[in-house]
mmCIF file of all heavy atoms in Angstrom:
data_model
loop_
_atom_site.group_PDB
_atom_site.id
_atom_site.type_symbol
_atom_site.label_atom_id
_atom_site.label_comp_id
_atom_site.label_asym_id
_atom_site.label_seq_id
_atom_site.Cartn_x
_atom_site.Cartn_y
_atom_site.Cartn_z
ATOM 1 N N LEU F 533 243.053 -22.241 51.069
ATOM 2 C CA LEU F 533 244.503 -22.261 51.257
ATOM 3 C C LEU F 533 244.793 -22.276 52.752
ATOM 4 O O LEU F 533 243.969 -21.839 53.556
ATOM 5 C CB LEU F 533 245.144 -21.025 50.615
ATOM 6 C CG LEU F 533 244.856 -20.781 49.133
ATOM 7 C CD1 LEU F 533 245.355 -19.397 48.730
ATOM 8 C CD2 LEU F 533 245.499 -21.856 48.276
ATOM 9 N N THR F 534 245.948 -22.776 53.128
ATOM 10 C CA THR F 534 246.363 -22.766 54.531
ATOM 11 C C THR F 534 247.763 -22.183 54.623
ATOM 12 O O THR F 534 248.698 -22.679 53.979
ATOM 13 C CB THR F 534 246.347 -24.182 55.133
ATOM 14 O OG1 THR F 534 245.033 -24.737 55.040
ATOM 15 C CG2 THR F 534 246.765 -24.124 56.599
ATOM 16 N N TYR F 535 247.893 -21.110 55.421
ATOM 17 C CA TYR F 535 249.187 -20.475 55.623
ATOM 18 C C TYR F 535 249.664 -20.774 57.048
ATOM 19 O O TYR F 535 248.981 -20.442 58.025
ATOM 20 C CB TYR F 535 249.100 -18.972 55.413
ATOM 21 C CG TYR F 535 248.847 -18.565 53.966
ATOM 22 C CD1 TYR F 535 248.371 -17.294 53.651
ATOM 23 C CD2 TYR F 535 249.096 -19.454 52.921
ATOM 24 C CE1 TYR F 535 248.151 -16.919 52.324
ATOM 25 C CE2 TYR F 535 248.874 -19.090 51.601
ATOM 26 C CZ TYR F 535 248.400 -17.829 51.310
ATOM 27 O OH TYR F 535 248.183 -17.478 49.994
ATOM 28 N N THR F 536 250.834 -21.394 57.176
ATOM 29 C CA THR F 536 251.404 -21.748 58.469
ATOM 30 C C THR F 536 252.639 -20.891 58.739
ATOM 31 O O THR F 536 252.945 -19.947 58.000
ATOM 32 C CB THR F 536 251.800 -23.232 58.483
ATOM 33 O OG1 THR F 536 252.849 -23.436 57.525
ATOM 34 C CG2 THR F 536 250.617 -24.121 58.106
ATOM 35 N N TRP F 537 253.373 -21.231 59.822
ATOM 36 C CA TRP F 537 254.597 -20.518 60.163
ATOM 37 C C TRP F 537 255.566 -20.462 58.991
ATOM 38 O O TRP F 537 256.316 -19.503 58.848
ATOM 39 C CB TRP F 537 255.286 -21.213 61.344
ATOM 40 C CG TRP F 537 254.697 -20.919 62.671
ATOM 41 C CD1 TRP F 537 253.880 -21.721 63.399
ATOM 42 C CD2 TRP F 537 254.873 -19.737 63.463
ATOM 43 N NE1 TRP F 537 253.522 -21.127 64.579
ATOM 44 C CE2 TRP F 537 254.140 -19.907 64.650
ATOM 45 C CE3 TRP F 537 255.592 -18.554 63.286
ATOM 46 C CZ2 TRP F 537 254.093 -18.953 65.646
ATOM 47 C CZ3 TRP F 537 255.550 -17.595 64.279
ATOM 48 C CH2 TRP F 537 254.809 -17.790 65.440
ATOM 49 N N ARG F 538 255.576 -21.511 58.188
ATOM 50 C CA ARG F 538 256.547 -21.609 57.108
ATOM 51 C C ARG F 538 256.108 -20.890 55.834
ATOM 52 O O ARG F 538 256.838 -20.908 54.837
ATOM 53 C CB ARG F 538 256.809 -23.086 56.790
ATOM 54 C CG ARG F 538 257.411 -23.858 57.965
ATOM 55 C CD ARG F 538 257.663 -25.307 57.590
ATOM 56 N NE ARG F 538 258.254 -26.045 58.702
ATOM 57 C CZ ARG F 538 258.580 -27.332 58.650
ATOM 58 N NH1 ARG F 538 258.348 -28.019 57.527
ATOM 59 N NH2 ARG F 538 259.106 -27.930 59.697
ATOM 60 N N SER F 539 254.926 -20.295 55.851
ATOM 61 C CA SER F 539 254.397 -19.635 54.654
ATOM 62 C C SER F 539 254.870 -18.175 54.597
ATOM 63 O O SER F 539 254.506 -17.374 55.467
ATOM 64 C CB SER F 539 252.866 -19.681 54.643
ATOM 65 O OG SER F 539 252.395 -21.004 54.698
ATOM 66 N N PRO F 540 255.668 -17.822 53.590
ATOM 67 C CA PRO F 540 256.107 -16.421 53.470
ATOM 68 C C PRO F 540 254.941 -15.454 53.368
ATOM 69 O O PRO F 540 255.048 -14.304 53.819
ATOM 70 C CB PRO F 540 256.942 -16.425 52.175
ATOM 71 C CG PRO F 540 257.361 -17.852 51.990
ATOM 72 C CD PRO F 540 256.235 -18.676 52.532
ATOM 73 N N ARG F 541 253.821 -15.912 52.791
ATOM 74 C CA ARG F 541 252.659 -15.012 52.631
ATOM 75 C C ARG F 541 252.129 -14.556 53.994
ATOM 76 O O ARG F 541 251.696 -13.414 54.142
ATOM 77 C CB ARG F 541 251.545 -15.712 51.849
ATOM 78 C CG ARG F 541 251.964 -16.326 50.518
ATOM 79 C CD ARG F 541 252.254 -15.295 49.467
ATOM 80 N NE ARG F 541 251.059 -14.693 48.921
ATOM 81 C CZ ARG F 541 251.078 -13.707 48.036
ATOM 82 N NH1 ARG F 541 252.245 -13.199 47.639
ATOM 83 N NH2 ARG F 541 249.960 -13.206 47.562
ATOM 84 N N LEU F 542 252.164 -15.452 54.969
ATOM 85 C CA LEU F 542 251.712 -15.075 56.309
ATOM 86 C C LEU F 542 252.607 -13.994 56.891
ATOM 87 O O LEU F 542 252.130 -13.039 57.517
ATOM 88 C CB LEU F 542 251.698 -16.306 57.213
ATOM 89 C CG LEU F 542 251.381 -16.036 58.695
ATOM 90 C CD1 LEU F 542 249.974 -15.478 58.849
ATOM 91 C CD2 LEU F 542 251.544 -17.319 59.515
ATOM 92 N N TRP F 543 253.908 -14.102 56.671
ATOM 93 C CA TRP F 543 254.832 -13.133 57.243
ATOM 94 C C TRP F 543 254.778 -11.792 56.512
ATOM 95 O O TRP F 543 255.138 -10.758 57.085
ATOM 96 C CB TRP F 543 256.243 -13.702 57.243
ATOM 97 C CG TRP F 543 256.348 -14.807 58.235
ATOM 98 C CD1 TRP F 543 256.412 -16.146 57.983
ATOM 99 C CD2 TRP F 543 256.316 -14.670 59.659
ATOM 100 N NE1 TRP F 543 256.447 -16.854 59.150
ATOM 101 C CE2 TRP F 543 256.392 -15.972 60.202
ATOM 102 C CE3 TRP F 543 256.238 -13.584 60.526
ATOM 103 C CZ2 TRP F 543 256.383 -16.205 61.569
ATOM 104 C CZ3 TRP F 543 256.229 -13.822 61.886
ATOM 105 C CH2 TRP F 543 256.307 -15.111 62.391
ATOM 106 N N ILE F 544 254.298 -11.802 55.268
ATOM 107 C CA ILE F 544 254.058 -10.524 54.582
ATOM 108 C C ILE F 544 252.947 -9.767 55.304
ATOM 109 O O ILE F 544 253.041 -8.554 55.542
ATOM 110 C CB ILE F 544 253.689 -10.759 53.109
ATOM 111 C CG1 ILE F 544 254.889 -11.316 52.333
ATOM 112 C CG2 ILE F 544 253.206 -9.456 52.454
ATOM 113 C CD1 ILE F 544 254.570 -11.704 50.900
ATOM 114 N N VAL F 545 251.890 -10.509 55.660
ATOM 115 C CA VAL F 545 250.788 -9.885 56.407
ATOM 116 C C VAL F 545 251.276 -9.411 57.772
ATOM 117 O O VAL F 545 250.991 -8.280 58.192
ATOM 118 C CB VAL F 545 249.610 -10.875 56.570
ATOM 119 C CG1 VAL F 545 248.534 -10.286 57.478
ATOM 120 C CG2 VAL F 545 249.015 -11.231 55.219
ATOM 121 N N ALA F 546 252.032 -10.266 58.470
ATOM 122 C CA ALA F 546 252.539 -9.901 59.801
ATOM 123 C C ALA F 546 253.432 -8.661 59.728
ATOM 124 O O ALA F 546 253.310 -7.742 60.550
ATOM 125 C CB ALA F 546 253.315 -11.077 60.405
ATOM 126 N N GLY F 547 254.318 -8.626 58.721
ATOM 127 C CA GLY F 547 255.193 -7.470 58.568
ATOM 128 C C GLY F 547 254.418 -6.210 58.240
ATOM 129 O O GLY F 547 254.736 -5.116 58.740
ATOM 130 N N SER F 548 253.386 -6.348 57.406
ATOM 131 C CA SER F 548 252.555 -5.183 57.047
ATOM 132 C C SER F 548 251.840 -4.638 58.269
ATOM 133 O O SER F 548 251.783 -3.415 58.483
ATOM 134 C CB SER F 548 251.549 -5.591 55.968
ATOM 135 O OG SER F 548 252.195 -6.046 54.797
ATOM 136 N N VAL F 549 251.280 -5.527 59.081
ATOM 137 C CA VAL F 549 250.588 -5.097 60.304
ATOM 138 C C VAL F 549 251.564 -4.406 61.249
ATOM 139 O O VAL F 549 251.254 -3.370 61.850
ATOM 140 C CB VAL F 549 249.921 -6.297 61.007
ATOM 141 C CG1 VAL F 549 249.360 -5.883 62.371
ATOM 142 C CG2 VAL F 549 248.810 -6.878 60.149
ATOM 143 N N LEU F 550 252.766 -4.963 61.362
ATOM 144 C CA LEU F 550 253.776 -4.372 62.241
ATOM 145 C C LEU F 550 254.122 -2.947 61.804
ATOM 146 O O LEU F 550 254.168 -2.022 62.630
ATOM 147 C CB LEU F 550 255.029 -5.241 62.237
ATOM 148 C CG LEU F 550 256.241 -4.719 63.023
ATOM 149 C CD1 LEU F 550 255.886 -4.505 64.488
ATOM 150 C CD2 LEU F 550 257.416 -5.675 62.895
ATOM 151 N N VAL F 551 254.331 -2.750 60.517
ATOM 152 C CA VAL F 551 254.688 -1.425 60.005
ATOM 153 C C VAL F 551 253.528 -0.448 60.184
ATOM 154 O O VAL F 551 253.714 0.693 60.633
ATOM 155 C CB VAL F 551 255.098 -1.516 58.519
ATOM 156 C CG1 VAL F 551 255.255 -0.113 57.925
ATOM 157 C CG2 VAL F 551 256.390 -2.297 58.365
ATOM 158 N N ILE F 552 252.320 -0.887 59.842
ATOM 159 C CA ILE F 552 251.152 0.001 59.921
ATOM 160 C C ILE F 552 250.860 0.389 61.366
ATOM 161 O O ILE F 552 250.712 1.572 61.703
ATOM 162 C CB ILE F 552 249.926 -0.682 59.286
ATOM 163 C CG1 ILE F 552 250.130 -0.855 57.785
ATOM 164 C CG2 ILE F 552 248.652 0.132 59.557
ATOM 165 C CD1 ILE F 552 249.111 -1.773 57.134
ATOM 166 N N ALA F 553 250.747 -0.626 62.248
ATOM 167 C CA ALA F 553 250.426 -0.347 63.650
ATOM 168 C C ALA F 553 251.557 0.434 64.322
ATOM 169 O O ALA F 553 251.307 1.338 65.126
ATOM 170 C CB ALA F 553 250.167 -1.651 64.402
ATOM 171 N N GLY F 554 252.814 0.096 63.970
ATOM 172 C CA GLY F 554 253.949 0.831 64.541
ATOM 173 C C GLY F 554 253.948 2.286 64.117
ATOM 174 O O GLY F 554 254.209 3.187 64.926
ATOM 175 N N ALA F 555 253.636 2.533 62.834
ATOM 176 C CA ALA F 555 253.572 3.915 62.342
ATOM 177 C C ALA F 555 252.452 4.684 63.034
ATOM 178 O O ALA F 555 252.612 5.853 63.410
ATOM 179 C CB ALA F 555 253.368 3.921 60.827
ATOM 180 N N ALA F 556 251.304 4.026 63.228
ATOM 181 C CA ALA F 556 250.172 4.676 63.891
ATOM 182 C C ALA F 556 250.526 5.030 65.332
ATOM 183 O O ALA F 556 250.208 6.124 65.816
ATOM 184 C CB ALA F 556 248.949 3.762 63.847
ATOM 185 N N GLN F 557 251.201 4.111 66.026
ATOM 186 C CA GLN F 557 251.612 4.380 67.397
ATOM 187 C C GLN F 557 252.636 5.512 67.459
ATOM 188 O O GLN F 557 252.632 6.327 68.381
ATOM 189 C CB GLN F 557 252.206 3.116 68.017
ATOM 190 C CG GLN F 557 251.188 2.049 68.374
ATOM 191 C CD GLN F 557 250.325 2.435 69.558
ATOM 192 O OE1 GLN F 557 249.249 3.029 69.397
ATOM 193 N NE2 GLN F 557 250.771 2.116 70.741
ATOM 194 N N PHE F 558 253.517 5.559 66.481
ATOM 195 C CA PHE F 558 254.529 6.608 66.446
ATOM 196 C C PHE F 558 253.883 7.988 66.264
ATOM 197 O O PHE F 558 254.276 8.957 66.915
ATOM 198 C CB PHE F 558 255.520 6.349 65.308
ATOM 199 C CG PHE F 558 256.558 7.429 65.148
ATOM 200 C CD1 PHE F 558 257.660 7.470 65.985
ATOM 201 C CD2 PHE F 558 256.429 8.415 64.181
ATOM 202 C CE1 PHE F 558 258.618 8.474 65.855
ATOM 203 C CE2 PHE F 558 257.371 9.419 64.045
ATOM 204 C CZ PHE F 558 258.466 9.453 64.890
ATOM 205 N N VAL F 559 252.888 8.076 65.388
ATOM 206 C CA VAL F 559 252.184 9.348 65.166
ATOM 207 C C VAL F 559 251.485 9.780 66.445
ATOM 208 O O VAL F 559 251.458 10.967 66.805
ATOM 209 C CB VAL F 559 251.176 9.205 64.007
ATOM 210 C CG1 VAL F 559 250.286 10.450 63.907
ATOM 211 C CG2 VAL F 559 251.911 8.987 62.690
ATOM 212 N N GLY F 560 250.890 8.811 67.158
ATOM 213 C CA GLY F 560 250.210 9.120 68.415
ATOM 214 C C GLY F 560 248.867 9.792 68.210
ATOM 215 O O GLY F 560 248.390 9.958 67.080
ATOM 216 N N ALA F 561 248.259 10.206 69.293
ATOM 217 C CA ALA F 561 246.960 10.877 69.228
ATOM 218 C C ALA F 561 247.135 12.302 68.711
ATOM 219 O O ALA F 561 248.062 13.004 69.112
ATOM 220 C CB ALA F 561 246.303 10.879 70.599
ATOM 221 N N GLN F 562 246.235 12.708 67.843
ATOM 222 C CA GLN F 562 246.268 14.055 67.265
ATOM 223 C C GLN F 562 244.939 14.757 67.551
ATOM 224 O O GLN F 562 243.872 14.190 67.301
ATOM 225 C CB GLN F 562 246.507 13.976 65.752
ATOM 226 C CG GLN F 562 247.827 13.330 65.355
ATOM 227 C CD GLN F 562 249.018 14.163 65.760
ATOM 228 O OE1 GLN F 562 249.012 15.383 65.660
ATOM 229 N NE2 GLN F 562 250.068 13.501 66.233
ATOM 230 N N SER F 563 245.005 15.963 68.065
ATOM 231 C CA SER F 563 243.792 16.725 68.391
ATOM 232 C C SER F 563 243.517 17.764 67.312
ATOM 233 O O SER F 563 244.419 18.509 66.914
ATOM 234 C CB SER F 563 243.946 17.418 69.753
ATOM 235 O OG SER F 563 244.094 16.452 70.773
ATOM 236 N N ILE F 564 242.276 17.790 66.865
ATOM 237 C CA ILE F 564 241.855 18.738 65.833
ATOM 238 C C ILE F 564 240.713 19.578 66.405
ATOM 239 O O ILE F 564 239.606 19.083 66.612
ATOM 240 C CB ILE F 564 241.374 17.999 64.566
ATOM 241 C CG1 ILE F 564 242.470 17.048 64.056
ATOM 242 C CG2 ILE F 564 240.981 18.993 63.485
ATOM 243 C CD1 ILE F 564 242.014 16.158 62.921
ATOM 244 N N PRO F 565 240.939 20.866 66.690
ATOM 245 C CA PRO F 565 239.866 21.699 67.245
ATOM 246 C C PRO F 565 238.783 21.986 66.213
ATOM 247 O O PRO F 565 239.070 22.206 65.042
ATOM 248 C CB PRO F 565 240.597 22.991 67.658
ATOM 249 C CG PRO F 565 241.821 23.021 66.802
ATOM 250 C CD PRO F 565 242.204 21.599 66.544
ATOM 251 N N VAL F 566 237.534 21.955 66.662
ATOM 252 C CA VAL F 566 236.398 22.277 65.801
ATOM 253 C C VAL F 566 235.759 23.538 66.366
ATOM 254 O O VAL F 566 234.805 23.492 67.140
ATOM 255 C CB VAL F 566 235.372 21.126 65.755
ATOM 256 C CG1 VAL F 566 234.237 21.452 64.786
ATOM 257 C CG2 VAL F 566 236.049 19.830 65.348
ATOM 258 N N GLY F 567 236.325 24.679 65.997
ATOM 259 C CA GLY F 567 235.843 25.953 66.529
ATOM 260 C C GLY F 567 235.982 25.965 68.049
ATOM 261 O O GLY F 567 236.939 25.446 68.613
ATOM 262 N N SER F 568 235.005 26.555 68.704
ATOM 263 C CA SER F 568 234.997 26.581 70.170
ATOM 264 C C SER F 568 234.103 25.498 70.740
ATOM 265 O O SER F 568 233.940 25.379 71.952
ATOM 266 C CB SER F 568 234.496 27.945 70.661
ATOM 267 O OG SER F 568 233.182 28.192 70.155
ATOM 268 N N LEU F 569 233.527 24.680 69.833
ATOM 269 C CA LEU F 569 232.551 23.680 70.248
ATOM 270 C C LEU F 569 233.201 22.477 70.905
ATOM 271 O O LEU F 569 232.865 22.081 72.014
ATOM 272 C CB LEU F 569 231.727 23.225 69.029
ATOM 273 C CG LEU F 569 230.647 22.182 69.298
ATOM 274 C CD1 LEU F 569 229.572 22.751 70.201
ATOM 275 C CD2 LEU F 569 230.047 21.698 67.976
ATOM 276 N N ALA F 570 234.144 21.876 70.225
ATOM 277 C CA ALA F 570 234.755 20.643 70.734
ATOM 278 C C ALA F 570 236.066 20.401 70.009
ATOM 279 O O ALA F 570 236.483 21.186 69.155
ATOM 280 C CB ALA F 570 233.794 19.467 70.539
ATOM 281 N N THR F 571 236.690 19.306 70.358
ATOM 282 C CA THR F 571 237.945 18.898 69.738
ATOM 283 C C THR F 571 237.843 17.434 69.317
ATOM 284 O O THR F 571 237.403 16.595 70.105
ATOM 285 C CB THR F 571 239.123 19.067 70.713
ATOM 286 O OG1 THR F 571 239.241 20.446 71.068
ATOM 287 C CG2 THR F 571 240.426 18.604 70.071
#
């Protein structure tokens, strides 16, 4: 199959990536301490 600019299926993927990556960036880095050893 070939998906071009005019293919709605391509924009579903683009929109999904935008939401996922945007949500990940919004959450930001999270630190989880592991005892006194490391984080």
Side-chain angles (χ1 to χ4, degrees):
L533 305 170
T534 301
Y535 291 162
T536 65
W537 281 103
R538 298 181 179 180
S539 302
R541 308 289 285 176
L542 174 63
W543 290 106
I544 292 174
V545 174
S548 300
V549 173
L550 175 58
V551 171
I552 293 168
Q557 286 289 91
F558 177 80
V559 171
Q562 299 293 320
S563 297
I564 304 173
V566 183
S568 59
L569 180 65
T571 299

